Amino acid sequence: MNNKLLEDIKSSKSITIIGVSVIATSKFRADLKNSLFSDLEKGKKKCNVISESDNQLFQQSLLTDTDDARERISFEELIIRRKFLIGEFDKTEERKNNSNVRLSALTLPFYAIQTDKSLWYLPINDFNADNYFILEENDKLYVSVKTYINLLTDGLSIKDREYKFLSKPDVELLELFDQNKAPRGIFPRDSFYNTDHYQYVVWGLVFSREGKLLIHQRAKNAKDNQGMWDKSVGGHLDFKLEKSTHEAMVRELIEELFTKEQIEQQGHGFSMLTDDIESVYFLGDWRLEDYGPYYLDHIELLESKKKKGTENWVMYKYPKTFTHNTPRRLPNGKERRLRVMVDVFFIITNTTITDTYLEKFENSSFLLVEPNKLKSWVDNEVDDDNREFKVTPDLKYIMTGKLRDVITEVSTTIKYSNIRK
C-alpha cells in the first residue's frame, strides 16, 4: 500500500473501506497496524468496513486462480485473507467498539478507501493495493463512487435498521431462489426478508404412537413470533451440510429435540431424541393411496427385535414441494415478509413420547394434541380451558389448508395401524 495512502489513513479520524481482499495480505495488514488498528484501540478513529461476499470472492478467484494471473490466488485463500483481516477489527473490545464491519451481498464494483480528506480508488480487476489513486472532485467517477459508498454505509450506526444487502460477518448464509425456483446464489439470512425471493426450508410434523401431533410454544424472548404455538420442528436447508431436504430434516430434529433440550434443561438425563442420526429412519414419500390402511404395518419388522422405548423414529416426506408466505411477527409489533419453498415431513416417534413423558420438561413447552382438537383451538384462538391460544402463521397455514387433511390422514393411519403402541 503506497505511503501517501497510509499517511492519509493515519491522519484521519474517520475511515471507510470498500472491499478488503486487495488489502488483506499479511504485508498490508502489517502496514495498517500502525496507521489504523493502533488508533482504533485508543479511540482516536472510527472505521466502516464493507467486505466482499463469498459470491464475489469466488468470482474474483475465477480471474486470479489461473496461470495467466500476475499472482495466482485461490478462492480458499481469498476467504482466509478476509477472515484474518476482519479478525483484526474484532481482536480487542476497543477495536470492535470503534469499527463497523459488514459483508455486502451486492457485488462491489470497485475498491475504495474514503478518508477525511480524500477518496482513494482502485479498479476491481486490479489486485495491487499499491495502485490506489485519489479521485478528484472534478473526476467523472467521483460522484458515482461517492454515491455508491453512501448507499452502502448509510445508517450503519442505526442498530435496528434492516439491510437486504449488508450483514455481519458471522451471520448465517443461505441459498436464495428466484420466483422460478432457480438458485441465484448464497446470501446473508437477512437478504430474504421483505423480498419476493425464496429460501428452502423443511417442516417436521411429529406424531406420537397415539396419532397425536407434537406442537411447541416459542420462547417469550424469541427473535420473532414470541410466545406463539408452532409446528413440531422447522428449519432451513444448509447447503454446506446437506444435499437433500431429508438430511436437513434429521439435523433439525436432532437440534430441536435433543441438542436444545439438553442445553435448556441443563443436561438432564432424558430427551425426546438422541444425537445419533441413525435413530431416524427415512422411508421415502408418504403414499397411503398406493398401499391402503395397512401402510404402516411394515414398521413392525423394523422394530421387532427392539425393546419397548428404544424403537427408531420413522420419517416420511410429503411428495410435493410447495411455496408459502410466512410473515414473522417482531417484538415491536411489525412484520417481516418471508417467502419459502417447503418440504414437509411426517415423523412418528418411538413409544417413549407420551403426554406423561412431556411433563418432565419443565423449561420447554411441548404438547401432544389430537389434530381435530388443534383445529378448533386454532380457529377459536382459545384452548379447552379457555386460555388464549396464539399460533404462528405457519401453524395456522398448516391447520387451515391442504396439509390439515393429510395430517388427519397420517394421524388416523397411525391410530389404526398395528405398530407398537
Side-chain angles (χ1 to χ4, degrees):
M1 191 178 294
N2 65 64
N3 290 331
K4 288 185 178 180
L5 174 54
L6 289 173
E7 290 172 6
D8 195 3
I9 292 173
K10 179 67 176 176
S11 62
S12 296
K13 293 183 179 180
S14 178
I15 313 293
T16 296
I17 299 173
I18 307 297
V20 303
S21 57
V22 72
I23 61 170
T25 64
S26 56
K27 175 184 180 299
F28 293 134
R29 288 206 317 274
D31 290 340
L32 291 171
K33 183 175 181 181
N34 295 323
S35 61
L36 178 61
F37 295 125
S38 59
D39 283 350
L40 285 176
E41 288 195 28
K42 298 172 186 176
K44 294 182 177 180
K45 276 186 175 55
K46 297 288 184 181
C47 186
N48 291 325
V49 180
I50 307 296
S51 173
E52 304 92 329
S53 65
D54 287 13
N55 290 350
Q56 184 164 359
L57 292 184
F58 183 78
Q59 293 167 11
Q60 185 174 321
S61 74
L62 295 178
L63 296 175
T64 58
D65 195 10
T66 68
D67 290 337
D68 298 331
R70 181 177 56 200
E71 177 189 3
R72 186 162 195 152
I73 313 171
S74 68
F75 173 56
E76 188 62 29
E77 182 175 346
L78 289 170
I79 292 288
I80 293 172
R81 281 187 183 187
R82 183 187 65 187
K83 182 177 181 180
F84 273 106
L85 183 64
I86 288 175
E88 290 290 344
F89 290 94
D90 285 342
K91 214 165 194 177
T92 67
E93 205 60 38
E94 290 78 11
R95 290 188 189 183
K96 284 184 183 179
N97 292 337
N98 292 307
S99 60
N100 215 328
V101 181
R102 294 290 186 273
L103 301 185
S104 173
L106 300 179
T107 298
L108 302 179
F110 50 74
Y111 302 106
I113 297 177
Q114 184 173 284
T115 66
D116 291 347
K117 300 176 182 177
S118 304
L119 177 58
W120 296 81
Y121 175 86
L122 184 68
I124 199 68
N125 63 337
D126 189 340
F127 308 116
N128 186 352
D130 289 329
N131 293 338
Y132 272 101
F133 62 90
I134 294 176
L135 283 179
E136 304 293 347
E137 290 190 26
N138 59 356
D139 193 295
K140 292 181 179 179
L141 277 176
Y142 183 88
V143 173
S144 61
V145 171
K146 189 89 171 177
T147 300
Y148 198 80
I149 291 174
N150 289 339
L151 167 68
L152 290 173
T153 59
D154 182 34
L156 270 178
S157 61
I158 304 174
K159 293 183 179 180
D160 62 352
R161 175 168 176 170
E162 293 179 13
Y163 287 92
K164 293 182 181 179
F165 53 84
L166 292 183
S167 67
K168 293 182 178 180
D170 56 351
V171 162
E172 202 169 17
L173 298 175
L174 303 174
E175 192 170 14
L176 183 143
F177 296 78
D178 67 15
Q179 294 192 54
N180 294 315
K181 317 304 183 297
R184 293 301 181 188
I186 310 303
F187 291 87
R189 189 167 192 154
D190 285 350
S191 299
F192 292 81
Y193 294 113
N194 297 328
T195 74
D196 293 328
H197 307 302
Y198 294 89
Q199 65 172 268
Y200 215 136
V201 302
V202 292
W203 289 354
L205 303 178
V206 176
F207 295 83
S208 71
R209 295 287 175 117
E210 287 73 41
K212 293 182 178 180
L213 179 64
L214 181 75
I215 58 175
H216 83 279
Q217 189 174 32
R218 292 179 61 81
K220 301 293 184 184
N221 61 349
K223 62 182 180 182
D224 53 45
N225 295 339
Q226 293 179 345
M228 296 181 182
W229 287 93
D230 201 3
K231 57 193 175 295
S232 311
V233 178
H236 62 269
L237 183 69
D238 190 326
F239 66 92
K240 292 183 179 179
L241 297 177
E242 53 254 338
K243 299 303 179 185
S244 67
T245 52
H246 83 259
E247 291 175 323
M249 190 71 262
V250 174
R251 174 180 55 78
E252 289 291 349
L253 269 176
I254 291 173
E255 287 180 5
E256 295 292 333
L257 302 183
F258 175 79
T259 308
K260 288 186 179 180
E261 278 188 19
Q262 291 290 314
I263 294 171
E264 292 175 6
Q265 302 295 335
Q266 300 178 348
H268 55 46
F270 55 88
S271 177
M272 284 200 214
L273 201 55
T274 75
D275 57 353
D276 178 13
I277 61 173
E278 301 299 326
S279 65
V280 182
Y281 286 152
F282 175 54
L283 301 182
D285 286 353
W286 175 263
R287 294 193 179 278
L288 181 67
E289 68 278 8
D290 293 342
Y291 298 98
Y294 303 106
Y295 184 33
L296 297 180
D297 289 356
H298 62 277
I299 295 175
E300 287 182 284
L301 301 175
L302 298 176
E303 56 194 34
S304 59
K305 296 183 179 180
K306 289 183 176 288
K307 293 181 180 180
K308 190 168 185 178
T310 65
E311 305 90 353
N312 288 68
W313 292 35
V314 295
M315 179 171 73
Y316 300 88
K317 178 182 175 293
Y318 183 61
K320 298 178 181 179
T321 298
F322 62 90
T323 57
H324 172 51
N325 295 327
T326 172
R328 305 297 167 131
R329 294 173 186 169
L330 304 178
N332 61 10
K334 294 182 179 180
E335 283 191 354
R336 292 193 296 186
R337 287 189 298 112
L338 180 63
R339 302 185 79 179
V340 294
M341 295 188 300
V342 189
D343 275 356
V344 178
F345 293 84
F346 307 120
I347 301 111
I348 304 173
T349 71
N350 62 21
T351 56
T352 300
I353 309 305
T354 62
D355 297 290
T356 303
Y357 188 79
L358 294 185
E359 292 174 0
K360 294 182 178 182
F361 299 96
E362 297 177 357
N363 300 318
S364 298
S365 296
F366 293 105
L367 188 63
L368 287 169
V369 59
E370 292 280 358
N372 287 335
K373 181 178 287 189
L374 178 59
K375 168 64 172 172
S376 296
W377 293 358
V378 170
D379 287 348
N380 298 322
E381 298 185 350
V382 293
D383 63 15
D384 286 348
D385 296 319
N386 211 35
R387 293 173 299 196
E388 185 179 56
F389 190 78
K390 288 187 176 182
V391 301
T392 63
D394 286 352
L395 186 54
K396 187 168 186 177
Y397 175 83
I398 289 167
M399 295 308 299
T400 56
K402 170 67 175 175
L403 280 174
R404 190 250 170 143
D405 292 339
V406 188
I407 286 171
T408 300
E409 179 180 275
V410 175
S411 173
T412 305
T413 305
I414 294 171
K415 290 176 185 177
Y416 286 92
S417 70
N418 291 323
I419 62 175
R420 188 180 293 170
K421 298 293 195 289

